[in-house]
Amino acid sequence: MSFIMKKKKYKFKVDLILQELTAVSFVNGILFAKIRLVDGGTFTESSQRQEVKNNCVKWDRKFQFGCKMTANASTGVLEPCMCRISVRKEVRGGRSFEKLGFANVNLAEFAGAGLTPRRYLLEGYDSKHRQDNSMLQITIEMPAIRSLAGLGEKPDNQLPADKKGEDYSGDSLASGSSGFGSLPRKQRPNLLCSGLLFPMQINVHIFLVVVAAAAAFTAAIPSIQYILY
């Protein structure tokens, strides 16, 4: 019988800012970028078309989309989730385009890391031609839409609806290995703040009376002996 490893599923909100492309190999032209989510969704969108100025193209365009990821149930490590950014150049007066290169972004590296800038060296579609050193600069932020159970955060919705807000303080009737770790331990009354101390005071008083009587009896033994003799 084959063993199937279960995977946990998570959903993130991706805020991707396409900033600029530097070290462009030509001095003029109109470039744009296409964002395509390869794994975890079907998002596809293109940026505005910008002209090359001083061997640089600036877009400063923000893309927002959802992304689904999976993680190993035992380790909690997210599996790779790729997003491709393809840079293209307009030809024939904008009726067509030419693919200049692309950058593959692994979104799993940015999950829960806050606002993170990153640079990517543009890769070519054709391996027969040498590529230039164009650098694509982006910034990504990926807050979680669903709770990150198993990734360091404990969601509130793991407790039953009628048990939220109660404090169990981790005490139980037995250890976690016995199977009774979820049973709350009954609180013991505080003897100093309750009326249960009153009977104990009575017992101490009786004890003191008995001790005093025994001491008096011991002191009277010599006189009793003197009377007998």
Side-chain angles (χ1 to χ4, degrees):
M1 185 172 120
S2 61
F3 178 76
I4 300 176
M5 177 67 70
K6 292 184 179 180
K7 297 180 180 180
K8 295 183 179 180
K9 298 180 180 180
Y10 306 101
K11 189 174 182 180
F12 294 88
K13 175 188 175 184
V14 182
D15 294 332
L16 190 152
I17 302 175
L18 180 66
Q19 294 177 301
E20 62 180 2
L21 181 70
T22 58
V24 181
S25 58
F26 38 88
V27 295
N28 56 13
I30 298 178
L31 305 185
F32 67 98
K34 181 180 179 181
I35 314 295
R36 182 171 66 89
L37 189 59
V38 181
D39 305 316
T42 59
F43 175 81
T44 301
E45 192 172 339
S46 298
S47 69
Q48 70 273 25
R49 287 160 168 77
Q50 295 290 348
E51 187 177 356
V52 178
K53 295 180 180 180
N54 299 325
N55 302 99
C56 178
V57 180
K58 292 186 178 181
W59 290 289
D60 291 328
R61 170 73 183 278
K62 185 176 182 179
F63 300 87
Q64 291 183 336
F65 53 92
C67 177
K68 296 179 180 179
M69 296 187 187
T70 56
N72 189 294
S74 58
T75 62
V77 178
L78 290 172
E79 296 183 350
C81 181
M82 305 308 297
C83 177
R84 172 166 291 193
I85 304 176
S86 175
V87 179
R88 307 177 180 191
K89 178 184 178 183
E90 278 190 358
V91 294
R92 297 178 184 178
R95 295 189 298 270
S96 183
F97 60 86
E98 176 188 355
K99 294 182 179 180
L100 300 180
F102 65 92
N104 286 330
V105 181
N106 184 8
L107 298 179
E109 299 175 357
F110 301 88
L115 196 64
T116 307
R118 191 70 60 89
R119 289 179 177 268
Y120 292 89
L121 183 65
L122 211 62
E123 302 179 26
Y125 287 95
D126 190 358
S127 59
K128 296 180 181 180
H129 298 82
R130 186 183 69 86
Q131 299 300 316
D132 53 22
N133 295 324
S134 298
M135 296 291 297
L136 183 66
Q137 182 174 349
I138 63 173
T139 302
I140 296 181
E141 184 177 15
M142 291 181 56
I145 297 178
R146 295 180 183 173
S147 300
L148 297 180
L151 293 179
E153 297 184 16
K154 184 177 180 181
D156 295 336
N157 56 6
Q158 283 187 346
L159 291 176
D162 56 339
K163 296 296 181 181
K164 290 184 179 180
E166 295 185 8
D167 184 15
Y168 292 97
S169 68
D171 294 336
S172 60
L173 294 178
S175 63
S177 60
S178 63
F180 296 96
S182 60
L183 296 177
R185 177 182 294 175
K186 294 183 179 179
Q187 275 190 332
R188 295 180 179 179
N190 192 350
L191 297 179
L192 297 178
C193 301
S194 64
L196 297 179
L197 189 62
F198 182 71
M200 296 179 62
Q201 292 177 346
I202 296 177
N203 294 335
V204 171
H205 179 71
I206 295 174
F207 175 75
L208 293 177
V209 171
V210 172
V211 170
F217 179 77
T218 304
I221 289 178
S223 59
I224 295 175
Q225 292 177 349
Y226 176 77
I227 295 173
L228 295 177
Y229 289 100

